[in-house]
Amino acid sequence: MRISTLPTIYGEKVVIRLLKEEGTVFSFRDLGMRGSTLKKFEEASLKPNGMLLVTGPTGSGKTVTLASALSKLNTVRVNIITLEDPVEIRVPGVNQVQVNPQAGLTFADGLRSFLRQDPNIIMVGEIRDGETAELAVHAALTGHLVLSTLHTNSAAGALPRLLDMGVENFLLASTVNAILAQRLVRKVCQDCKEEYEPPEEIQNSIKKVMQEIETNKVLLGRDPEIAKELKAFSESSKVKLSRGKGCPKCGNTGYRGRIGIFELLYMTDEIARLVIERAPTQAIHDEAIKLGMLTLIQDGYLRVVEGITTLEEVLRVAK
């Protein structure tokens, strides 16, 4: 448990964050990745150098995704070092270091020391300032694979954010392999799951998003899984969604377990050109969609249509 206390005028306020059992790592598919997102994320993580960033708000599962990536990359042939605050998930065989500002071990100082430890892969818990961002980029430039997290709302938003931190645009364009944005949604309880027909305005909203995905020919061309799902959706006469009625197994909430929804921005020549031109977030986002990116909202709606989660959950985390 991670416990934080705060003195308020009415007494002590306490927040307890429950952490998974140590050593809990998942396969990328278990996390909720699939299709071209899964393929491209695996491709980016297997590159010998460059940066792989995971973005999202606090509690969106970024640390679990990175721990799962490290677990997959961890072999006797590579030296992996992590710098975290704090170390939440222990990965056997990985050298995990906890930052300690009182002793002078900050993210920036730790990164400087790491480069003398002959690592192949470096994981930095979070890029919080310009100094850490610059050191991470230089580590990626000098032949290391750098994994880290960033607090931005979308995958495209990470690039202007790093530029704002003072990272040179040409360095950023040549070092970033991919950026994954993610959120966690609750899954419909399988024991009390029921199908229902939503109101017309919700059906229209779902059909609109599905049509947006259908127009993305680049995405459908390389993702037969989604193409097949869209075909089944268009052939059905009515939109049927799922929800949990509530039962003792899910504590009468209608939800049990969580799954991730994702959008992956893969660095291409077109995206690199926009970074060098210091283009705004929206321009980068639009270009990434043209190049076949599935957005967070679209991935969430696909999960709704599959009956895995509810529309309320997707809108709660992604809107």
Side-chain angles (χ1 to χ4, degrees), residues 11-163:
E12 209 73 14
K13 177 182 182 293
V14 183
V15 170
I16 300 176
R17 185 173 175 187
L18 300 173
L19 302 173
K20 286 274 187 188
E21 190 183 335
E22 284 177 0
T24 307
V25 289
F26 303 90
S27 73
F28 295 144
R29 204 166 266 282
D30 288 341
L31 294 175
M33 279 188 231
R34 59 185 175 165
S36 59
T37 300
L38 172 62
K39 185 170 174 281
K40 290 283 186 185
F41 186 76
E42 281 186 331
E43 261 176 43
S45 65
L46 291 170
K47 287 189 175 182
N49 54 21
M51 280 180 82
L52 181 57
L53 299 170
V54 181
T55 77
T58 303
S60 59
K62 301 185 296 294
T63 306
V64 174
T65 300
L66 285 184
S68 301
L70 290 180
S71 179
K72 191 175 174 64
L73 295 168
N74 187 21
T75 67
V76 290
R77 293 191 299 276
V78 292
N79 176 13
I80 303 176
I81 305 181
T82 77
L83 188 61
E84 301 168 70
D85 180 24
V87 175
E88 289 181 5
I89 300 170
R90 299 195 182 179
V91 185
V94 172
N95 307 291
Q96 293 177 276
V97 179
Q98 187 156 315
V99 297
N100 185 354
Q102 286 86 3
L105 179 57
T106 61
F107 279 116
D109 291 325
L111 254 178
R112 279 194 200 90
S113 307
F114 279 11
L115 297 177
R116 294 189 280 274
Q117 288 281 325
D118 189 32
N120 304 102
I121 299 165
I122 298 169
M123 195 269 263
V124 184
E126 189 187 335
I127 294 176
R128 293 177 181 171
D129 53 61
E131 192 180 7
T132 308
E134 208 169 308
L135 285 164
V137 166
H138 281 288
L141 269 177
T142 52
H144 305 87
L145 179 66
V146 178
L147 288 79
S148 191
T149 71
L150 205 61
H151 284 283
T152 58
N153 289 328
S154 66
L159 294 165
R161 175 81 194 279
L162 288 168
L163 290 171

